[in-house]
Amino acid sequence: MSATRRSADGFALQVMVGLCLIWGVQQVMIKWAASDIAPVMQAAGRSGISALLVGLLICWKGGWDQVGTTWRGGLLAGALFGLEFFFIAEGLQLTTAAHMSVFLYTAPIFTALGVHWLLPSERLRPVQWLGIFLAFIGIAIAFAGGVSWDNLDHRMLMGDALGVLAGASWGATTVVVRASRLSEAPVTLTLFYQLIVGFVGLLLIAILSGQVTHVSLTTVAVASVLFQGLVVSFFSYLTWFWLLRRYLAANLAVFSFMTPLFGVTFGVVLLGEELSLNFVIGAVLVLLGITFVSAEQWVRRRLRKALGQP
């Protein structure tokens, strides 16, 4: 399949813009509906809906025969997936959707570090190490709310930290998929593991924490869960995997950096969130660092062209 992958074209760009819009607005939807339904319940609901749909898709197209060889990696990937959305749900109660959108997308940094140690064929190159350095400097600047500790918003700081932990969990999920038998399994089965284990884990957390009772079936609550379950977790994820099978991953990675930009924009426009200068500067460095890590080959080609090298 890799031999048929090609550089991104106009069609891929249009699809990626649509996907990034969907991904960018999901944090805003969670925060928008938080007063009607607890974010962790939203995460459990979306995972349950999507797991049902993906399970039916596997029944139609096949893939259950590989459960016997992939279930261990599937359980671990699913646990990390659930942990990611637990951190997102809890973090959004403390910080803004704009902040969460940026810190969540530090995931490629953690993925690159993980595969560097586990997969000898994917060692980090100098440009990628530079990207990691820039990203972590950006995180530090974005965290800094002022010159003294008294000027820091401690609730937002904790929410931002949960956003970084969500990114780390997402990155670890990708590492597990890449380094286990899941790398050879159908994408539908890999996605099903994440959704079903995440659903069970998040629902259990909601029950134990008492958040299972924080549910009001308002129009906003239902719209948020259905949007996340049908559009984000089912349609957009399967579309993303479809693109990855047809286009070069590095090309798509560059386009995917539109997501946190959309997330920040939606947070400001739809929720009236304010952005501090330090956050804007930090976010720019984080996005630049992620670009260097995820699209290293593309960056190297651009640098060579700028320097007039072949």
Side-chain angles (χ1 to χ4, degrees):
M1 182 65 73
S2 60
T4 65
R5 289 177 184 146
R6 56 186 184 274
S7 298
D9 51 23
F11 173 76
L13 173 59
Q14 293 176 49
V15 174
M16 282 302 303
V17 169
L19 291 180
C20 291
L21 279 168
I22 292 171
W23 297 335
V25 81
Q26 67 173 325
Q27 275 70 246
V28 175
M29 292 290 291
I30 294 172
K31 197 167 184 68
W32 182 41
S35 60
D36 296 326
I37 177 171
V40 71
M41 282 299 295
Q42 294 186 55
R46 65 176 268 171
S47 296
I49 292 171
S50 302
L52 175 61
L53 294 174
V54 174
L56 292 174
L57 187 60
I58 297 174
C59 289
W60 177 38
K61 289 196 168 185
W64 294 120
D65 56 312
Q66 296 195 38
V67 170
T69 59
T70 60
W71 66 270
R72 291 180 180 82
L75 289 178
L76 180 55
L80 290 168
F81 179 84
L83 193 62
E84 172 196 342
F85 280 93
F86 168 72
F87 288 138
I88 292 173
E90 294 301 305
L92 281 172
Q93 298 185 68
L94 302 172
T95 191
T96 64
H99 281 215
M100 183 61 69
S101 295
V102 171
F103 292 125
L104 174 60
Y105 277 84
T106 57
I109 302 297
F110 296 104
T111 297
L113 288 171
V115 296
H116 173 79
W117 298 112
L118 293 177
L119 301 176
S121 62
E122 298 192 35
R123 297 293 188 191
L124 290 169
R125 297 181 177 86
V127 171
Q128 292 174 303
W129 281 114
L130 174 61
I132 290 174
F133 174 76
L134 289 175
F136 281 108
I137 291 295
I139 291 173
I141 293 175
F143 272 18
V147 295
S148 69
W149 183 253
D150 292 336
N151 292 331
L152 288 172
D153 184 332
H154 300 126
R155 280 177 55 84
M156 181 171 286
L157 189 65
M158 179 61 69
D160 290 348
L162 289 172
V164 175
L165 288 175
S169 300
W170 183 5
T173 304
T174 304
V175 172
V176 169
V177 172
R178 295 280 294 278
S180 69
R181 290 180 180 270
L182 290 175
S183 62
E184 301 173 0
V187 294
T188 48
L189 182 60
T190 300
L191 181 58
F192 179 78
Y193 280 130
Q194 296 176 59
L195 293 170
I196 194 63
V197 177
F199 166 68
V200 173
L202 290 165
L203 185 60
L204 182 60
I205 289 173
I207 293 172
L208 294 176
S209 64
Q211 296 184 72
V212 71
T213 61
H214 182 184
V215 177
S216 298
L217 296 180
T218 63
T219 301
V220 170
V222 173
S224 177
V225 174
L226 288 180
F227 172 78
Q228 295 175 62
L230 298 176
V231 180
V232 179
S233 295
F234 182 70
F235 170 76
S236 74
Y237 288 175
L238 291 179
T239 302
W240 168 248
F241 288 131
W242 180 83
L243 286 175
L244 285 174
R245 288 178 176 269
R246 287 159 177 79
Y247 295 96
L248 295 173
N251 291 167
L252 298 178
V254 175
F255 295 145
S256 70
F257 300 145
M258 291 184 289
T259 301
L261 300 179
F262 283 132
V264 170
T265 301
F266 288 138
V268 172
V269 174
L270 299 180
L271 298 179
E273 297 175 347
E274 296 182 0
L275 301 179
S276 63
L277 178 60
N278 61 285
F279 173 74
V280 173
I281 295 173
V284 170
L285 288 174
V286 168
L287 295 178
L288 183 62
I290 295 171
T291 303
F292 282 9
V293 171
S294 296
E296 183 266 344
Q297 294 182 357
W298 180 84
V299 171
R300 277 197 293 121
R301 286 198 300 269
R302 293 294 177 181
L303 288 175
R304 286 174 180 169
K305 185 175 180 179
L307 296 174
Q309 298 178 357

